[in-house]
Amino acid sequence: MITLENHMDVESKLNAELKAQSGYEDWMFFSIKSIEGAPDKFTVGYLLPTSHGVSTNKDLAECLEIYNPVLQRVLS
């Protein structure tokens, strides 16, 4: 569970796990932000190449194959 007290630690753990994944590229990262109007609730975002003009050969499905296992491991 992500809380006010641990959200930075969770973000760091997500990014550390992400870097250890096969297929990781240095533009990939997770960010945790509080939801406006609900400071005790959070969203986990991740960078996709299509939304930021990143130069990569990966498509959306390939990116999600790298991100999703990390999310499941760290947040479960």
Side-chain angles (χ1 to χ4, degrees):
M1 173 184 251
I2 301 171
T3 66
L4 286 171
E5 292 79 22
N6 76 359
H7 74 279
M8 296 301 290
D9 291 333
V10 172
E11 183 177 285
S12 292
K13 185 169 183 172
L14 283 167
N15 284 306
E17 292 266 339
L18 180 63
K19 288 179 182 180
Q21 295 302 298
S22 173
Y24 166 80
E25 293 183 5
D26 63 356
W27 56 265
M28 300 173 112
F29 70 91
F30 286 104
S31 63
I32 297 178
K33 301 197 187 282
S34 63
I35 296 174
E36 191 173 326
D40 60 336
K41 298 195 186 301
F42 299 87
T43 62
V44 177
Y46 43 85
L47 183 63
L48 296 175
T50 54
S51 63
H52 286 76
V54 172
S55 178
T56 183
N57 293 328
K58 290 186 181 351
D59 63 16
L60 176 60
E62 290 171 310
C63 292
L64 293 176
E65 286 176 9
I66 297 167
Y67 283 123
N68 286 335
V70 173
L71 283 168
Q72 291 173 352
R73 258 194 320 277
V74 173
L75 298 180
S76 61

